[in-house]
Amino acid sequence: MNDIRQDNLIFKIFPIFTHPYILIMRLDRPIGYILLFYPICFSIFAFSDLNLKIVSLLIIFLIGSIVMRSAGCIINDLLDRDIDNKVRRTQNRPLVSNSLSIKNSIILLIVLLSIGLIVLTQLNLPSIILAWLQSTDHAHQSKRRFE
């Protein structure tokens, strides 16, 4: 049993050396970032008229959804690599199968978080403050969960 489908179109489009990066970012499974982007998209369309500024906001939020979901997947794989090794479904993930090094996954994580920060700075100040408050609250809640 394996949770990776190698017949996915994305693996046919990109060269083989990119496959571990695609896998760790879960780009072969778009449902994760679609579920992040859908409520944003619905809200923007429900409460505004379509114009160039709205289209640019949609693009910003789409990029942000993909980047931050991918960063979250990398963090999950880094933290759970010992557990993933014991679960048959996750034994072929890039960090467990050693098709991607921990160093390269951390570099990719830093790049993705940097892109996420650039995306965030494209928003207005109240949105930046809200994102900062949300992230600090999430970090606090995560810390409490592990105590």
Side-chain angles (χ1 to χ4, degrees), residues 17-110:
F17 75 90
T18 63
H19 293 186
Y21 297 96
I22 291 168
L23 290 171
I24 200 166
M25 293 169 58
R26 310 288 197 282
L27 293 178
D28 58 321
R29 299 167 192 192
I31 191 66
Y33 62 81
I34 290 171
L35 289 174
L36 281 174
F37 181 65
Y38 178 74
I40 297 166
C41 188
F42 178 78
S43 298
I44 288 174
F45 278 126
F47 298 106
S48 63
D49 297 325
L50 188 60
N51 58 41
L52 191 57
K53 182 172 177 152
I54 297 303
V55 171
S56 68
L57 270 178
L58 288 171
I59 292 169
I60 288 169
F61 282 118
L62 177 63
I63 293 168
S65 297
I66 294 169
V67 165
M68 295 313 293
R69 190 269 185 145
S70 297
C73 290
I74 294 172
I75 291 169
N76 176 68
D77 282 5
L78 285 167
L79 295 176
D80 288 350
R81 65 184 181 274
D82 295 331
I83 296 168
D84 288 344
N85 193 30
K86 298 173 185 169
V87 178
R88 189 170 20 144
R89 182 181 64 84
T90 58
Q91 286 177 342
N92 290 325
R93 289 197 175 159
L95 290 179
V96 177
S97 67
N98 291 320
S99 61
L100 186 65
S101 69
I102 293 172
K103 178 184 170 188
N104 285 348
S105 63
I106 291 172
I107 290 170
L108 179 60
L109 176 62
I110 291 168

